[in-house]
């Protein structure tokens, strides 16, 4: 688990996808507006918490994660 909530993050690095064994990523209450495509490289991810961010639209990355069974909280 990686807990990055409440850090005022406005973006994530593309290299986050290298965390291939990460199961739970908590990004609550940051300033994220978009997500890197590298997020799809996180093949073990089971839960992604993005509540209290202001993402633009409905990112394709989130739909792809949900399609493979990842729980995405928005």
């Amino acid at each position: 688990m990686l807990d990055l909530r409440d850090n005022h993050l406005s973006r994530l690095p593309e290299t986050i996808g290298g965390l291939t064994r990460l199961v739970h990523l908590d990004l609550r209450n940051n300033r994220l507006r978009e997500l890197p495509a590298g997020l799809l490289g996180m093949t073990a991810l089971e839960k992604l918490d993005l509540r209290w961010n202001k993402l633009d639209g409905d990112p394709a990355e989130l739909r792809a994660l949900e399609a493979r069974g990842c729980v995405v909280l928005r």
Side-chain angles (χ1 to χ4, degrees):
M1 177 180 180
L2 179 58
D3 185 345
L4 295 173
R5 67 181 155 188
D6 299 317
N7 280 292
H8 305 286
L9 299 174
S10 59
R11 56 188 296 245
L12 297 172
E14 278 292 330
T15 56
I16 198 161
L19 301 173
T20 58
R21 296 176 64 192
L22 190 67
V23 175
H24 181 186
L25 179 57
D26 189 341
L27 294 167
R28 282 180 285 174
N29 200 30
N30 280 290
R31 297 176 180 166
L32 298 172
R33 297 190 60 88
E34 61 185 17
L35 298 170
L39 203 62
L40 296 176
M42 302 174 80
T43 53
L45 197 62
E46 295 175 4
K47 183 176 180 184
L48 175 61
D49 196 336
L50 289 164
R51 291 177 289 174
W52 303 295
N53 282 284
K54 296 185 179 187
L55 294 175
D56 292 333
D58 184 25
E61 294 83 7
L62 295 185
R63 291 192 310 274
L65 287 171
E66 289 171 327
R68 71 174 193 218
C70 180
V71 174
V72 178
L73 302 171
R74 303 178 199 209

